[in-house]
């Protein structure tokens, strides 16, 4: 029997918003991933890094300000650090959980680079929130340090950085080889380390790629059966937060386009998820994109909940 291939994109609540939360959240997440492996799915895990890469970037900048011997750590290296430590924690927790269930499988986290277009308009219009939520006073202080600040979906102020669209996954062949070897693979963390091609060489770009778009690209390239975007809501809603709010179990491709046109999904939160889900579902027949709550992943894949867009 063909094993169904699933790309699982983990959002903030799967990882927590600081280190302490992360260690607890990752254990819960490992159970959920292990459930899917036990169910027989071939699993690739991707994850966000917005809070973590902001934390790393702030720490690195503070280090440079306080100790002159340290020099600036560029944003792509901060993304690499976030992939490394989040990947390590996921890898060790998932491995331990599989071990407890006597499932003998390797779990590998891969530092992944993702090419972006140097002409992408996003470089001129930073829009990706990173780091912690700031008060208005803290936001004004950051603005004085030349950081760009935006209000984040009614939840406070955050630093924003450029977020170009992913174009090509440099380590795609390695991800495929690991998956074909039966491993659980963690890849494209934080949307991947953004890189641009210059005279045949690749070099880091100062940006943070949206993990939902990188996950959709990975799912397409691996010809996955499902893209599962796990977040803090069980379903996607129209008229979200209003009296006439309606939770959706399904959207056709046409409906998804129409709701996006109507502005039903908040930019920087639900909009990229629906756009990424749509991109994957529209890329071929038999491709399904599911958006649901972290602990409903298995139920969602079994068709019991979540919002699904069918290709
Ligand atoms: N139309 C909508 N339907 C459901 N949730 C929405 C909608 N618009 C905005 N949201 C918000 O988007 C959030 C998910 O985005 P976000 O927190 O950025 O995701 P992540 O889990 O990747 O960190 C939900 O928890 C919800 O508060
Ligand atoms: N890189 C990224 O999309 O991270 P978040 O999901 O944490 O915003």
């Amino acid at each position: 029997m063909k094993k169904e291939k699933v790309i699982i994109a983990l959002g903030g609540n799967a990882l927590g918003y600081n280190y302490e939360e992360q260690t607890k959240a990752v254990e819960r997440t490992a159970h959920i991933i292990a459930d899917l492996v036990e169910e027989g799915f071939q699993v690739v895990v991707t994850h966000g890094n917005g809070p973590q890469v902001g934390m790393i970037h702030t720490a690195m900048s503070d280090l440079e300000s306080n100790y002159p011997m340290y020099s600036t750590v560029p944003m792509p290296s901060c993304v690499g650090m976030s992939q490394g430590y989040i990947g390590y924690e996921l890898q060790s927790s998932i491995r331990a959980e599989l071990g407890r269930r006597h499932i003998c499988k390797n779990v590998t986290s891969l530092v992944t680079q993702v090419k972006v277009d140097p002409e992408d308009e996003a470089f001129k219009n930073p829009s990706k929130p990173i780091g912690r939520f700031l008060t208005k006073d803290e936001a004004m202080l950051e603005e004085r340090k030349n950081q760009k600040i935006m209000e984040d979906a009614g939840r406070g102020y955050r630093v924003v950085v450029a977020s170009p669209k992913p174009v090509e996954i440099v380590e795609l062949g390695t991800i495929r080889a690991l998956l074909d070897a039966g491993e659980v693979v963690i890849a494209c963390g934080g949307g991947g380390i953004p890189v641009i091609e210059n005279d045949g060489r690749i070099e880091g770009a100062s940006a943070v790629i949206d993990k939902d778009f990188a996950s959709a690209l990975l799912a397409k390239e691996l010809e996955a059966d499902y893209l599962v975007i796990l977040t803090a809501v069980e379903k996607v809603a129209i008229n979200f937060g209003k009296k006439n709010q309606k939770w959706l179990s399904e959207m056709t491709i046409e409906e998804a386009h129409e709701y996006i046109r109507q502005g039903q999904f908040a930019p920087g939160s639900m909009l990229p998820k629906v756009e990424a889900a749509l991109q994957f579902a529209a890329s071929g027949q038999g491709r399904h994109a599911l958006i649901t709550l972290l602990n409903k992943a298995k139920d969602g894949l079994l068709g019991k909940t979540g919002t699904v867009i069918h290709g």
Side-chain angles (χ1 to χ4, degrees):
M1 198 181 93
K2 179 183 170 262
K3 274 193 162 185
E4 289 189 296
K5 204 181 284 174
V6 184
I7 311 304
I8 306 283
L10 300 173
N13 64 328
L15 303 172
Y17 292 90
N18 58 44
Y19 188 76
E20 206 186 345
E21 282 177 16
Q22 185 172 313
T23 46
K24 290 187 192 127
V26 163
E27 265 181 42
R28 278 200 308 274
T29 303
H31 275 263
I32 289 155
I33 304 294
D35 284 347
L36 303 183
V37 175
E38 200 163 32
E39 198 66 32
F41 292 105
Q42 264 191 305
V43 177
V44 181
V45 178
T46 67
H47 61 82
N49 71 341
Q52 297 82 359
V53 77
M55 174 187 82
I56 292 168
H57 194 248
T58 303
M60 292 297 130
S61 306
D62 286 354
L63 208 61
E64 187 201 355
S65 318
N66 293 327
Y67 302 96
M69 74 270 230
Y70 292 119
S71 54
T72 310
V73 176
M75 187 55 91
S77 301
C78 293
V79 175
M81 289 185 200
S82 72
Q83 280 190 348
Y85 98 93
I86 298 170
Y88 151 65
E89 299 213 340
L90 282 169
Q91 172 176 322
S92 69
S93 291
I94 297 169
R95 192 187 173 91
E97 185 54 35
L98 292 176
R100 267 192 285 278
R101 299 178 190 203
H102 308 289
I103 299 171
C104 182
K105 255 189 193 300
N106 283 322
V107 184
T108 303
S109 163
L110 189 70
V111 171
T112 319
Q113 304 172 93
V114 172
K115 284 189 199 167
V116 296
D117 178 355
E119 302 300 327
D120 194 313
E121 284 295 309
F123 282 109
K124 293 186 203 136
N125 302 299
S127 64
K128 174 86 191 152
I130 62 162
R132 66 188 178 91
F133 289 94
L134 305 170
T135 63
K136 197 160 191 179
D137 288 346
E138 288 172 326
M140 279 159 61
L141 268 177
E142 288 299 320
E143 267 178 331
R144 272 185 233 135
K145 291 190 230 160
N146 286 331
Q147 300 269 33
K148 178 127 198 271
I149 305 291
M150 269 167 76
E151 215 265 323
D152 183 1
R155 298 178 289 188
Y157 296 86
R158 283 175 97 186
V159 169
V160 286
V161 295
S163 192
K165 291 283 182 296
V167 173
E168 187 186 329
I169 298 161
V170 178
E171 285 80 15
L172 181 67
T174 315
I175 298 170
R176 196 177 274 131
L178 290 167
L179 196 60
D180 288 347
E183 301 212 1
V184 175
V185 190
I186 302 157
C188 292
I193 301 169
V195 294
I196 51 179
E197 195 155 2
N198 205 348
D199 278 339
R201 283 167 52 99
I202 52 174
E203 52 194 51
S206 189
V208 174
I209 300 171
D210 188 288
K211 64 109 182 13
D212 297 313
F213 287 122
S215 308
L217 176 64
L218 180 63
K220 253 195 295 188
E221 296 292 342
L222 291 176
E223 299 180 352
D225 301 287
Y226 293 92
L227 168 64
V228 181
I229 298 179
L230 298 178
T231 185
V233 281
E234 187 163 339
K235 293 185 183 193
V236 177
I238 49 171
N239 306 314
F240 181 67
K242 297 185 188 152
K243 272 196 179 144
N244 58 345
Q245 168 175 292
K246 183 178 168 208
W247 298 108
L248 304 171
S249 298
E250 274 190 347
M251 276 188 269
T252 62
I253 287 174
E254 295 70 29
E255 282 166 344
H257 278 297
E258 176 55 22
Y259 294 145
I260 289 171
R261 199 193 57 75
Q262 290 173 5
Q264 292 283 356
F265 312 120
S269 61
M270 193 46 79
L271 180 61
K273 295 183 197 315
V274 175
E275 286 179 333
L278 182 56
Q279 268 180 24
F280 173 65
S283 73
Q285 260 202 336
R287 297 186 176 180
H288 314 283
L290 165 73
I291 301 174
T292 193
L293 202 58
L294 174 66
N295 58 14
K296 297 283 176 178
K298 187 169 144 191
D299 282 352
L301 276 168
L302 298 176
K304 295 181 186 165
T305 191
T307 304
V308 185
I309 308 177
H310 297 289

